[in-house]
Amino acid sequence: MSSAQPPSPLQSVATLYRDHHGWLHGWLRKRLGDREQAADIAQDTFLRLLLGGRLPSLDESRSYLAQIARNLVIDQWRRQRIERAYLDSIAHLPEPESPSLETRAMVIETLLQIDAMLDAMPAKVREAFLLSQFEGLTYPQVAERLQVSVSSVQKYMQRAISACYQVLYAE
């Protein structure tokens, strides 16, 4: 009988890092065209792997790391798009009315949460919510636009409002 114990998750991540970090960094650098951004996302990939608790098998290591990295890149692009849109919307404000850097950061975080919430909703739920809340349509008007019943719109709105509640009171 062998007394050797299987490697700990930390040792396994360290091995994955040693074996695949250089490859992942190069892969990201080719796709992003930015060495520093690639380095940051490569580091974040291994951090997410460490915090996630699921380690890939040896034969799926690179594809698993690449998928985590792709998701991080998408998250970063989404964040940049939202941040840019917010900053563009406040750019015309006079200096005294412009929000502080702290307020800007809090607003951007809130916008990211809202974006993630909307993205997680089924398409009809999201569309019903946006039509009702941002275009001011009544439930019958939303039903007509989506070609569904008013009771379906009511159910969609209940789901959307529940999702909003979860974002607001989750923490």
Side-chain angles (χ1 to χ4, degrees):
M1 289 188 120
S2 172
S3 62
Q5 298 199 8
S8 72
L10 187 56
Q11 290 170 321
S12 297
V13 171
T15 300
L16 277 170
Y17 186 90
R18 184 191 67 233
D19 294 347
H20 299 291
H21 180 266
W23 166 82
L24 182 62
H25 182 257
W27 184 82
L28 285 164
R29 194 175 59 244
K30 264 195 262 179
R31 279 154 183 75
L32 300 173
D34 183 321
R35 174 181 232 98
E36 290 175 11
Q37 188 179 25
D40 288 344
I41 291 176
Q43 291 298 107
D44 289 347
T45 299
F46 284 97
L47 180 61
R48 185 161 293 181
L49 182 68
L50 185 61
L51 297 175
R54 182 192 176 282
L55 297 175
S57 64
L58 290 175
D59 61 327
E60 68 175 10
S61 295
R62 286 191 175 185
S63 64
Y64 192 71
L65 291 169
Q67 186 59 51
I68 293 172
R70 272 192 292 275
N71 291 341
L72 289 169
V73 169
I74 290 167
D75 290 347
Q76 183 177 37
W77 287 342
R78 178 177 282 148
R79 179 182 183 87
Q80 288 170 344
R81 180 180 47 85
I82 289 171
E83 189 171 343
R84 211 172 16 257
Y86 172 67
L87 293 175
D88 288 348
S89 74
I90 64 168
H92 71 281
L93 292 175
E95 186 69 32
E97 293 178 33
S98 185
S100 69
L101 292 177
E102 182 180 347
T103 300
R104 288 179 189 189
M106 290 186 332
V107 168
I108 289 169
E109 283 306 311
T110 301
L111 290 171
L112 288 168
Q113 287 178 322
I114 292 168
D115 182 63
M117 175 199 64
L118 290 170
D119 193 48
M121 287 180 185
K124 292 244 183 194
V125 173
R126 178 177 51 250
E127 196 169 350
F129 179 73
L130 294 173
L131 290 170
S132 171
Q133 298 302 304
F134 294 103
E135 292 192 27
L137 299 183
T138 64
Y139 286 11
Q141 291 170 324
V142 172
E144 184 179 326
R145 179 88 62 96
L146 297 180
Q147 298 179 338
V148 298
S149 67
V150 173
S151 66
S152 291
V153 172
Q154 290 170 332
K155 289 175 189 169
Y156 296 158
M157 290 302 293
Q158 286 173 345
R159 286 180 70 182
I161 291 168
S162 176
C164 291
Y165 185 86
Q166 291 298 319
V167 168
L168 190 58
Y169 296 107
E171 298 176 77

